[in-house]
Amino acid sequence: MSTARQLDVTKQFKTFSSGARLDVLILESGGDDILEVLRDGSSDDVSRSPPRRHLYFDEKARVTVLLRTSGNKDELRKFLPQVEISLAAHATDAVPQGSGNAASASGKHDLTSRTIPGGDLEDIVVSGDYLFAIWRPSLHLPRPQVRLQRPAVYFTANLKVSRDALNASRRRAAETLESYEPLPANVLEPLHTDPAFGDSGIYLSEGRIAKSVGSNAQAQDDVKPIRGATKRAFPIVPALFTRIRCSVLPDALIASLHLEASRLITGTLTAKDVTVDVPGAQVESLCPLDEPKDAKAGDEIILLYKFAHQRRTDDPALSSVFVRVGAMLAEREGSSIDLETKWQTKVDLSSTASKPSYRWSRPLSTGSQQAPRLSLKDAAPPSMPETELKPSTGETGVVFNITAPATVSKDDTLVLDLQCINRSDRKRRFALIALRTKKTPPNGFAKEQRGSEDTRRSMETTKPEPSQRKRRLDVLDLYPDFRIGPVAPGASLETKLRYRTLTMGILDLGAIRIVDLDTRQTVDVKNLPDVIVMNSTSQEESEKSAGKQQD
């Protein structure tokens, strides 16, 4: 299998790899000035170029691969298209040693890899007695599939003869014969005189019998690659946190996509391209990203989407939500870093906002008495039809109707209109107490099990940074303990609940505990109205747009 032409490819590679060195660099400048440094200085000046202090998850890291060899520049340029570079990034748990900044690799977890054709080099520079071939590819750094205490990333590169070049040599070898070599004899030639075979012309090459085992062509083809790696592992931190929250409507879902700039960045993060796709649903952007949005450390950008179900009733309830966010981080040092995060989660498009019904807790006096039913009519935006919830036949109870505006401005007062209808046969007095519960996934929103890369990204991108693990309130209840009543049998009472909005997006109003002051029975109401908080500018634009549509 080994031919003269194939030996030429491997021979040239061995010639250039003799004494060659492959360096992998992550420079602060991204390697933009590497050509000038080599032309005006020496290879030692390259090693003194300042490296990056740390990397970011989801960034497209610019890697500089430097091959130092000897020989003729023109011959090297002609030969490089026959080689390829395998570039890979690996995650590790970096543990500082002593008082220095050196990091040791504790375990190896492959992040990503790509193959770079040797012909895609940037340039070849002659510096002193050596030739320097330069590649500057980019490599996307996803989040590792394992939890690391102090994640760090290092890079490796292998330069070897490409498989296409070896296969091409083998095809050319099959089409030609070795010079001055006789053809193998036909060991079945004496049978040609046997009348039984006639003129069949049977043929068996002597070469097939002489070789009892296969040739060791693979061992001859394998040439030791030129290996290189970064000198240290770079600490890696998140630059962007993303999470999505969904609220159920009777005919659609409202999703708020939160893009939060990490407090660890030192410059400005610009969201340039955001894509949300739900197969089987019509996705409508309620506040499109018409122009790039800038965010400093700790700032948050919120985008709203509406998912309208378009599938048949027999389709699976859960659908995948694919999210892609493209951003750029401009650091104070002057460098710019491209970021791209992709992840997916599951959402139930078939769910509808049913009117909930609650039951009182058991009375304190008896444990067997049948508890009356408490019904709550869910609030809806003005465009949504209202349906009244009635108690079951033979039951008497209380109906609470809660309505709220569809949108409200940040740092403004949110007013909920509450109507209490007493359908029982006695007077009723109630106390309304605001509860702040732990944040749970909203209705219609579920996450996949851990396993795939996209699922892992969905679960980890919703995890806040350590400094923000303490939950921030969405609203401040101005009247946390509110009393209403007495309400006579068959009568109704209307009042207002007031909150102060603290964040933007879809509000989490928590829950309201309703206490019957006569029987001391309680019920916790969690299905409160969905309200979207916008800044004052967006609020004014929405009102103007609504006024134009009415005109």
Side-chain angles (χ1 to χ4, degrees):
M1 198 55 98
S2 177
T3 64
R5 289 180 178 270
Q6 186 173 346
L7 286 176
D8 287 343
V9 176
T10 58
K11 183 178 180 180
Q12 291 181 44
F13 182 79
K14 290 180 180 180
T15 301
F16 286 111
S17 63
S18 177
R21 189 180 71 185
L22 195 65
D23 295 323
V24 183
L25 308 172
I26 309 295
L27 302 178
E28 188 174 311
S29 62
D32 294 335
D33 57 347
I34 190 73
L35 293 175
E36 288 73 11
V37 171
L38 287 174
R39 290 191 182 109
D40 300 337
S42 63
S43 59
D44 296 334
D45 296 332
V46 176
S47 61
R48 289 192 290 266
S49 299
R52 289 273 300 273
R53 293 193 298 270
H54 61 271
L55 301 174
Y56 295 102
F57 285 120
D58 301 318
E59 81 161 276
K60 297 179 180 178
R62 287 180 288 182
V63 185
T64 301
V65 181
L66 194 64
L67 171 65
R68 191 193 72 172
T69 184
S70 58
N72 184 275
K73 180 179 179 180
D74 294 334
E75 293 181 359
L76 178 61
R77 187 179 295 275
K78 293 179 181 179
F79 177 71
L80 285 180
Q82 302 182 76
V83 301
E84 62 185 12
I85 298 176
S86 298
L87 182 64
H90 315 277
T92 183
D93 209 353
V95 180
Q97 295 179 341
S99 58
N101 295 326
S104 63
S106 176
K108 173 184 174 183
H109 310 279
D110 297 336
L111 284 183
T112 184
S113 63
R114 61 172 295 192
T115 300
I116 306 159
D120 292 350
L121 77 164
E122 186 164 328
D123 202 353
I124 298 177
V125 178
V126 179
S127 180
D129 298 332
Y130 296 101
L131 299 175
F132 291 90
I134 304 167
W135 293 266
R136 287 201 308 137
S138 62
L139 193 63
H140 186 255
L141 303 180
R143 296 173 183 258
Q145 296 187 7
V146 295
R147 186 176 297 277
L148 302 175
Q149 184 178 3
R150 295 177 180 176
V153 174
Y154 66 95
F155 300 82
T156 60
N158 293 328
L159 189 146
K160 58 184 178 181
V161 179
S162 66
R163 182 57 56 185
D164 292 340
L166 291 177
N167 292 337
S169 298
R170 292 169 183 170
R171 287 194 297 270
R172 290 194 299 267
E175 297 173 357
T176 58
L177 298 175
E178 294 287 348
S179 302
Y180 306 107
E181 288 289 336
L183 291 176
N186 180 13
V187 297
L188 299 181
E189 186 175 1
L191 299 178
H192 289 180
T193 58
D194 191 335
F197 291 96
D199 297 332
S200 59
I202 57 176
Y203 177 85
L204 177 62
S205 173
E206 183 183 13
R208 297 184 61 181
I209 297 178
K211 296 180 181 180
S212 58
V213 295
S215 63
N216 195 17
Q218 185 66 29
Q220 297 176 2
D221 294 343
D222 290 341
V223 182
K224 185 178 179 180
I226 306 174
R227 305 181 187 274
T230 52
K231 295 182 179 180
R232 68 182 183 93
F234 297 86
I236 186 167
V237 296
L240 177 66
F241 297 96
T242 61
R243 64 183 184 275
I244 191 169
R245 295 168 60 180
C246 294
S247 294
V248 181
L249 300 179
D251 58 347
L253 292 180
I254 297 296
S256 62
L257 179 63
H258 299 249
L259 311 177
E260 183 178 355
S262 170
R263 296 186 181 274
L264 302 176
I265 65 174
T266 59
T268 302
L269 189 143
T270 304
K272 301 185 298 182
D273 184 20
V274 179
T275 303
V276 177
D277 185 27
V278 183
Q282 179 182 359
V283 180
E284 179 184 355
S285 178
L286 302 181
C287 51
L289 191 66
D290 296 330
E291 58 183 17
K293 300 290 186 181
D294 295 339
K296 300 292 184 180
D299 291 348
E300 191 173 23
I301 301 173
I302 301 176
L303 304 176
L304 298 179
Y305 297 89
K306 179 180 179 181
F307 302 156
H309 190 30
Q310 290 183 328
R311 290 185 172 179
R312 302 186 307 271
T313 56
D314 56 346
D315 287 344
L318 293 180
S319 292
S320 297
V321 179
F322 298 91
V323 179
R324 176 191 172 276
V325 179
M328 184 188 71
L329 175 60
E331 296 188 309
R332 291 177 183 175
E333 295 80 4
S335 60
S336 61
I337 299 171
D338 290 331
L339 303 170
E340 183 182 27
T341 176
K342 296 180 180 179
W343 53 276
Q344 74 178 70
T345 186
K346 293 289 186 179
V347 64
D348 186 2
L349 295 176
S350 63
S351 60
T352 58
S354 59
K355 304 305 178 182
S357 178
Y358 297 88
R359 286 189 177 274
W360 293 101
S361 63
R362 293 188 177 216
L364 296 180
S365 57
T366 61
S368 60
Q369 179 180 352
Q370 177 67 28
R373 175 181 293 271
L374 171 71
S375 301
L376 176 71
K377 185 172 73 173
D378 224 3
S383 60
M384 189 184 303
E386 296 184 356
T387 56
E388 184 178 0
L389 178 64
K390 297 181 180 180
S392 302
T393 304
E395 290 187 349
T396 59
V398 182
V399 177
F400 283 86
N401 297 329
I402 300 178
T403 57
T407 60
V408 69
S409 299
K410 184 184 177 185
D411 298 328
D412 200 356
T413 301
L414 168 63
V415 179
L416 301 185
D417 295 323
L418 183 143
Q419 181 189 36
C420 175
I421 304 175
N422 184 10
R423 294 180 176 175
S424 63
D425 54 0
R426 63 180 177 88
K427 291 183 179 181
R428 310 297 288 266
R429 296 183 304 121
F430 304 101
L432 277 65
I433 303 174
L435 301 179
R436 305 307 301 176
T437 58
K438 291 183 179 180
K439 191 180 291 292
T440 56
N443 293 336
F445 179 70
K447 292 180 180 177
E448 289 182 301
Q449 295 294 325
R450 200 177 179 91
S452 65
E453 170 67 18
D454 295 332
T455 304
R456 176 193 54 74
R457 180 63 45 77
S458 171
M459 300 183 68
E460 293 190 359
T461 51
T462 59
K463 180 180 179 295
E465 57 181 305
S467 62
Q468 292 183 332
R469 286 180 182 174
K470 186 176 180 180
R471 180 176 177 268
R472 297 180 298 180
L473 299 180
D474 290 349
V475 294
L476 176 65
D477 194 346
L478 301 180
Y479 302 96
D481 190 350
F482 193 79
R483 305 297 175 96
I484 61 175
V487 185
S492 66
L493 183 145
E494 295 183 0
T495 185
K496 297 181 182 298
L497 304 178
R498 288 178 170 84
Y499 297 84
R500 174 72 66 176
T501 60
L502 302 179
T503 62
M504 293 192 300
I506 300 177
L507 285 184
D508 178 14
L509 297 177
I512 295 179
R513 173 166 293 172
I514 302 178
V515 183
D516 190 321
L517 297 178
D518 297 325
T519 64
R520 313 305 296 178
Q521 294 173 284
T522 64
V523 64
D524 293 341
V525 178
K526 300 179 182 179
N527 297 77
L528 295 179
D530 294 323
V531 180
I532 300 174
V533 179
M534 309 171 66
N535 55 35
S536 57
T537 303
S538 300
Q539 181 76 6
E540 293 175 359
E541 293 177 353
S542 299
E543 292 176 355
K544 291 180 181 178
S545 176
K548 291 180 179 179
Q549 292 178 358
Q550 292 178 0
D551 294 341

